[in-house]
Amino acid sequence: MFSHLFRVADPYRDLHQLQRQVDALFSDWARPQRRAAQGLAFDVLDDGERYRLVADVPGLRAEDLEVEITEDVVAIRGVRKVAVPEGFSVHRRERESVQIARSFTFPSKLDPEKVEATLQQGVLTITLVKRADAKPRTVTVRSVDV
């Protein structure tokens, strides 16, 4: 009977609800930018003679990518542009234009003349041959009798 007299209303209930709605709005809005900011994930493999870099680059064409090699650094740059076709307007946009820039420093010197980069079905593969003077050399130990 008197329960409505003794019930204490939460004065912050509406504020908490508003905060949840704003968080949800910004979470949805920032999702594509977070993916773009993370950049590409590369696998870097070493078989002793060469390195191989592999990355998924969906939506990029070979002409959208640039690979630059110095003696121990590889820099990869690319741009994926997303345009609205003529005659259309945007109803909802989740795909954004992305700029990619990554570089890798290797412990061995690379031979820039023997680098190969291929793009096949959205997978970028860069093969980097180690310079002959940078490859580890095995030395045979001789026994000397005194």
Side-chain angles (χ1 to χ4, degrees):
M1 177 163 128
F2 296 107
S3 62
H4 68 282
L5 295 175
F6 297 107
R7 188 179 317 152
V8 178
D10 180 6
Y12 300 106
R13 185 184 61 163
D14 292 337
L15 185 60
H16 292 304
Q17 183 178 1
L18 176 64
Q19 182 178 9
R20 282 193 301 273
Q21 290 173 345
V22 169
D23 287 346
L25 172 72
F26 281 105
S27 175
D28 289 344
W29 174 78
R31 190 171 291 125
Q33 286 80 2
R34 264 190 304 222
R35 270 188 256 127
Q38 290 171 352
L40 296 179
F42 277 81
D43 290 338
V44 181
L45 311 168
D46 182 359
D47 73 357
E49 297 288 317
R50 64 191 156 268
Y51 296 105
R52 180 169 289 155
L53 279 75
V54 182
D56 294 333
V57 290
L60 288 171
R61 300 168 301 166
E63 53 269 14
D64 298 332
L65 293 163
E66 177 185 317
V67 178
E68 186 178 295
I69 311 290
T70 61
E71 61 181 28
D72 64 345
V73 177
V74 175
I76 299 117
R77 290 179 207 72
V79 177
R80 182 187 74 201
K81 295 180 182 174
V82 178
V84 178
E86 191 173 322
F88 285 85
S89 63
V90 176
H91 175 70
R92 179 180 177 131
R93 173 165 279 176
E94 294 182 1
R95 298 172 57 241
E96 295 292 329
S97 295
V98 176
Q99 227 175 358
I100 300 157
R102 292 287 305 271
S103 65
F104 298 90
T105 302
F106 292 91
S108 303
K109 299 215 183 292
L110 306 171
D111 188 345
E113 301 301 318
K114 296 183 179 177
V115 174
E116 292 181 7
T118 59
L119 181 65
Q120 183 177 10
Q121 295 182 350
V123 177
L124 173 65
T125 303
I126 303 170
T127 303
L128 308 150
V129 177
K130 296 178 184 179
R131 281 195 351 207
D133 61 348
K135 294 178 189 170
R137 191 178 126 219
T138 304
V139 177
T140 304
V141 178
R142 300 183 295 132
S143 176
V144 179
D145 293 329
V146 183

